[in-house]
């Protein structure tokens, strides 16, 4: 799914109106109906009990609010609409004012009266905001943010631009939930504005698909439909050789669990064979916990030294639980220098930290190696940034300079390809913030690489599946108690969910 900005959406609106032979008011009505449906589904019967207050501005976002107010009122909800006084309402806003009838007018100087609790729907500004809000908006935004119940924003939290940097002190609605139309907007995905976006749902309002397909942009949001098609069916005549031999290299004293989790995640993700290269201390641990894995035991006792690399492996996953002791750094450097240029590799954890401290090794990375830093590891690799926009630009420059794929872990993990495209993930939840989640991800992606998925596909599919396991685990264990090992247990269900349905049951 593409991520688009306000100007692009305005153009696509126009094309939709022309090609579908509808009026702009009808499109607004569609959007309002979708928003009402989404609220009914999210709030359930509770919505009937709540006083609902809708705050509307002068543009089409306000027009949506007026339409939502009318629809909710017709359905018997307890709804109150407040409209900002203006000299220049948008035409569809005016039509919806007439259709609604009763509403309360207010100005920015008024001390807006709000119910003590209930639901507040914020329709002051949407994608038409052209710059951050000035001081005159502080009062109204403060009232909204101080509301005693949930605040939902239509399309955007009012005050947040779609895809440009904005001062964090600027007046901005802090939404518990955003219902955004047709496509996500970049600022809904960036950590910098996390405080204003409790969560968001994309509502399909049926904009012209050709116009959406043709819209240009480097930013994408990976949803199930984007990755389901990547998953390859298994032929009846396939055998273990068909699905590749993955090699995981890692582990050190006290950190063998990382390799165990990575190995189990690899096997559950479908590779045909798996070898783990571990220090001697890992031998009994791996053999007893992951009997399916073959072992190549290193000469190092407590940490890796030799990095023997004799097998015919289709993919390597390196760094999990590895540590960065002197002999490990030496062995890893040598291993890097001996790599074939077409090797498929994913590097994680200490492998990344070693690269940060030995930048001379970067030149040995085969093209399209996947690096999976969390924000701190990224900072060590590419340097400090001053904001999320600079971070993305610096990451793109790094990916281009070294011909690698950067996978920046976090809420909406971002995959940055060397051509500058950027893919934000849609699955996952804060329950994944436990040590070991990353080891599971490395195992999944290494397995997909071994099966012949090209690196960008393996990264997108792996990140999506990994997040999906967490969403499934959340239903059973909740965000607080879920563990990385639970993610592995939900891999079979996640793959099944994504698999294209067969016509024959
Ligand atoms: N395809 C869709 O997604 C659809 C979206 N819809 C809804 O329409 C809005 C976008 O509506 P638009 O009228 O373009 O914009 P807004 O309602 O967000 O706001 C426009 C008014 O805001 C004023 N403005 C802009 N920036 C500022 C600012 N910094 N300070 C003060 N005022 C500002 C601007 O006034 P100007 O006179 O300054 O130009 C506009 O009047 C979208 O978000 C959806 O909610 C459709 O309903 C259906 C299709
Ligand atoms: K809004």
């Amino acid at each position: 799914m593409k991520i688009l900005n306000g100007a692009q959406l305005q153009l696509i609106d126009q094309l939709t109106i022309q090609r579908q032979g509808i009026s702009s008011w009808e499109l607004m009505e569609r959007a309002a109906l979708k928003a009402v449906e989404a609220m009914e589904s999210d709030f359930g019967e509770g919505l009937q009990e709540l006083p609902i207050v809708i705050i509307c501005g002068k543009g089409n976002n306000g027009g949506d609010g007026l339409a939502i107010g009318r629809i909710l009122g017709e359905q018997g909800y307890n709804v109150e609409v407040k409209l900002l006084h203006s000299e220049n309402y948008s035409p569809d806003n005016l039509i919806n004012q007439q259709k609604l009838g009763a509403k309360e007018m207010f100005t920015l100087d008024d001390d807006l009266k709000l119910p003590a609790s209930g639901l507040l729907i914020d329709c002051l500004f949407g994608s038409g905001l052209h710059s951050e809000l000035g001081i005159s908006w502080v009062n109204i935004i403060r009232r909204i943010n101080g509301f005693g119940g949930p605040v939902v924003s239509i399309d955007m939290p009012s005050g947040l631009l779609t895809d440009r940097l904005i001062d964090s002190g600027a007046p901005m609605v802090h939404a518990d939930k955003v219902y955004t139309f047709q496509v996500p907007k970049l600022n809904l995905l960036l950590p910098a504005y996390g405080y204003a976006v409790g969560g968001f749902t994309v509502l399909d309002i049926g904009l012209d698909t050709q116009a959406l397909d043709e819209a240009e942009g480097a930013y994408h949001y990976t949803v199930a439909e984007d990755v389901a098609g990547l998953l390859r069916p298994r032929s009846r005549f396939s055998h273990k050789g068909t699905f590749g031999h993955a090699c995981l290299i890692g582990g050190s004293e006290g950190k063998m669990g990382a390799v165990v989790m990575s190995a189990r995640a690899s096997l559950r993700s479908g590779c045909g064979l798996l070898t783990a290269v571990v220090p001697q201390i890992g031998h009994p641990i791996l053999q007893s916990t992951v009997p399916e894995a073959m072992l190549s035991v290193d000469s190092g006792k407590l940490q890796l030294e030799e990095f023997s690399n004799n097998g015919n492996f289709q993919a390597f996953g390196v760094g999990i639980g590895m540590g960065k002791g002197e002999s490990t750094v030496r062995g890893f450097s040598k291993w890097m220098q001996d790599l074939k240029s077409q090797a498929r590799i994913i590097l994680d954890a200490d492998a990344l930290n070693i690269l940060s401290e030995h930048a001379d090794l970067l030149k040995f990375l085969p093209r399209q190696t996947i690096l999976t830093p969390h924000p701190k590891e990224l900072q060590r690799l590419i340097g400090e940034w001053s904001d999320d926009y600079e971070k993305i630009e610096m990451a793109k420059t790094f990916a281009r300079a070294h011909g690698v794929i950067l996978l920046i872990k976090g809420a909406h993990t971002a995959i940055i390809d060397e051509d500058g495209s950027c893919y934000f993930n849609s699955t996952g939840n804060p329950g994944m913030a436990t040590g070991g989640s990353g080891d599971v991800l490395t195992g999944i992606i290494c397995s997909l690489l071994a099966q012949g998925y090209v690196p960008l596909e393996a990264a997108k599919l792996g990140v999506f599946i990994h997040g999906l396991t967490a969403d499934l685990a959340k239903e059973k264990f909740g965000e607080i108690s879920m563990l990385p090992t639970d993610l592995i247990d939900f891999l079979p269900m996640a793959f099944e969910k994504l698999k294209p349905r067969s016509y024959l049951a």
Side-chain angles (χ1 to χ4, degrees):
M1 184 182 274
K2 280 186 186 148
I3 294 170
L4 301 176
N5 61 31
Q8 288 175 305
L9 282 164
Q10 220 171 25
L11 192 72
I12 296 172
D13 270 12
Q14 291 313 313
L15 288 167
T16 303
I17 289 164
Q18 279 168 24
R19 290 176 185 167
Q20 297 182 4
I22 56 169
S23 68
S24 57
W25 177 83
E26 283 170 300
L27 188 57
M28 184 178 279
E29 193 68 3
R30 234 192 243 176
L33 281 165
K34 284 283 180 180
V36 169
E37 261 174 45
M39 281 185 259
E40 286 181 324
S41 137
D42 283 351
F43 289 88
E45 306 225 318
L47 201 58
Q48 288 288 358
E49 328 273 290
L50 299 173
I52 303 172
V53 59
I54 310 181
I55 314 283
C56 302
K58 66 174 181 161
N60 287 338
N61 195 252
D64 292 342
L66 294 162
I68 291 169
R70 170 171 38 81
I71 297 164
L72 288 173
E74 284 165 1
Q75 294 181 14
Y77 290 99
N78 171 11
V79 58
E80 192 187 335
V81 176
K82 295 181 192 285
L83 174 65
L84 180 65
H85 179 79
S86 168
E87 299 296 329
N88 57 340
Y89 292 108
S90 72
D92 290 327
N93 185 306
L94 284 170
I95 297 177
N96 277 334
Q97 287 186 36
Q98 278 159 10
K99 287 186 182 288
L100 174 68
K103 65 207 147 278
E104 186 190 314
M105 305 301 295
F106 71 96
T107 70
L108 291 183
D109 299 324
D110 290 344
D111 189 16
L112 198 67
K113 295 269 172 302
L114 297 175
S117 64
L119 172 68
L120 188 148
I121 306 177
D122 151 43
C123 299
L124 272 179
F125 295 101
S127 59
L129 192 75
H130 46 61
S131 57
E132 57 193 31
L133 291 176
I135 190 108
S136 59
W137 295 87
V138 168
N139 181 31
I140 171 86
I141 301 285
R142 200 175 278 158
R143 298 286 296 161
I144 295 175
N145 288 343
F147 182 67
V151 173
V152 301
S153 287
I154 299 302
D155 210 20
M156 293 296 287
S158 297
L160 181 59
L161 294 163
T162 52
D163 66 343
R164 268 183 294 137
L165 185 67
I166 182 166
D167 189 279
S168 62
M172 193 188 299
V173 167
H174 296 179
D176 295 291
K177 177 86 191 243
V178 181
Y179 295 110
T180 202
F181 296 128
Q182 199 69 48
V183 292
K185 286 73 184 176
L186 186 56
N187 278 347
L188 297 177
L189 293 154
L190 300 182
Y193 306 114
Y195 63 88
V197 186
F200 71 88
T201 301
V202 180
L203 303 180
D204 183 349
I205 58 168
L207 293 184
D208 184 68
T209 43
Q210 188 192 339
L212 284 166
D213 286 346
E214 285 169 4
E216 291 198 359
Y219 297 102
H220 307 263
Y221 184 60
T222 308
V223 294
E225 296 83 72
D226 296 320
V227 286
L230 300 179
L231 209 56
R232 303 203 190 131
R234 295 199 154 206
S235 147
R236 207 153 52 87
F237 299 102
S238 49
H239 53 87
K240 67 184 181 215
T242 318
F243 301 110
H245 192 162
C247 177
L248 289 170
I249 306 180
S252 57
E253 187 185 25
K255 289 194 185 156
M256 285 315 302
V259 187
V260 173
M261 287 188 278
S262 216
R264 292 191 53 223
S266 274
L267 288 158
R268 283 278 189 220
S269 300
C271 58
L273 294 164
L274 175 74
T275 291
V277 179
V278 293
Q280 291 173 21
I281 193 170
H283 188 171
I285 302 170
L286 260 291
Q287 289 279 265
S288 54
T289 53
V290 198
E292 298 88 347
M294 290 172 277
L295 280 195
S296 167
V297 181
D298 195 85
S299 54
K301 199 164 175 227
L302 304 180
Q303 60 183 23
L304 289 164
E305 291 177 4
E306 188 189 353
F307 286 76
S308 76
N309 180 7
N310 303 327
N312 178 22
F313 304 118
Q314 276 71 53
F316 296 96
V318 190
I320 50 256
M322 185 168 87
K324 47 186 187 123
E326 231 174 87
S327 47
T328 303
V329 173
R330 223 175 302 119
F332 176 68
S333 308
K334 166 105 183 32
W335 178 83
M336 290 264 306
Q337 290 169 49
D338 291 345
L339 275 171
K340 297 200 179 77
S341 64
Q342 73 277 22
R344 295 291 195 218
I345 300 176
I346 171 166
L347 296 184
D348 187 25
D350 287 322
L352 300 177
N353 293 328
I354 295 175
L355 278 185
S356 311
E357 288 164 24
H358 301 267
D360 52 311
L361 291 176
L362 286 167
K363 61 177 176 290
F364 299 113
L365 289 175
R367 196 81 187 270
Q368 295 191 306
T369 291
I370 302 171
L371 310 183
T372 64
H374 56 57
K376 260 262 141 325
E377 288 163 346
L378 182 71
Q379 216 170 62
R380 288 183 208 124
L381 266 179
I382 68 173
E384 298 248 1
W385 51 83
S386 55
D387 57 64
D388 282 350
Y389 280 88
E390 196 185 26
K391 172 173 82 178
I392 293 176
E393 285 315 311
M394 286 167 70
K396 283 181 185 174
T397 306
F398 183 92
R400 203 176 307 121
H402 302 291
V404 296
I405 295 172
L406 272 176
L407 189 158
I408 307 171
K409 292 188 276 203
H412 303 298
T413 288
I415 297 167
I416 297 185
D417 194 13
E418 59 177 303
D419 70 357
S421 338
C422 179
Y423 302 84
F424 290 90
N425 187 42
S426 62
T427 54
N429 60 67
M432 302 169 87
T434 308
S437 285
D439 305 322
V440 173
L441 178 66
T442 298
I444 297 171
I445 295 179
C446 184
S447 179
L448 295 172
L449 288 174
Q451 290 167 68
Y453 288 90
V454 297
L456 184 63
E457 285 180 359
K460 284 197 280 185
L461 182 56
V463 168
F464 185 90
I465 283 279
H466 183 239
L468 185 54
T469 62
D471 292 339
L472 295 166
K474 180 179 164 175
E475 286 170 26
K476 186 166 177 198
F477 300 108
E479 285 182 2
I480 296 175
S481 299
M482 83 165 74
L483 292 176
T485 44
D486 299 325
L487 306 185
I488 301 167
D489 292 343
F490 276 102
L491 272 168
M493 201 192 279
F495 277 110
E496 276 305 304
K497 247 180 130 68
L498 206 58
K499 211 166 80 178
R501 294 284 137 241
S502 157
Y503 290 107
L504 300 169

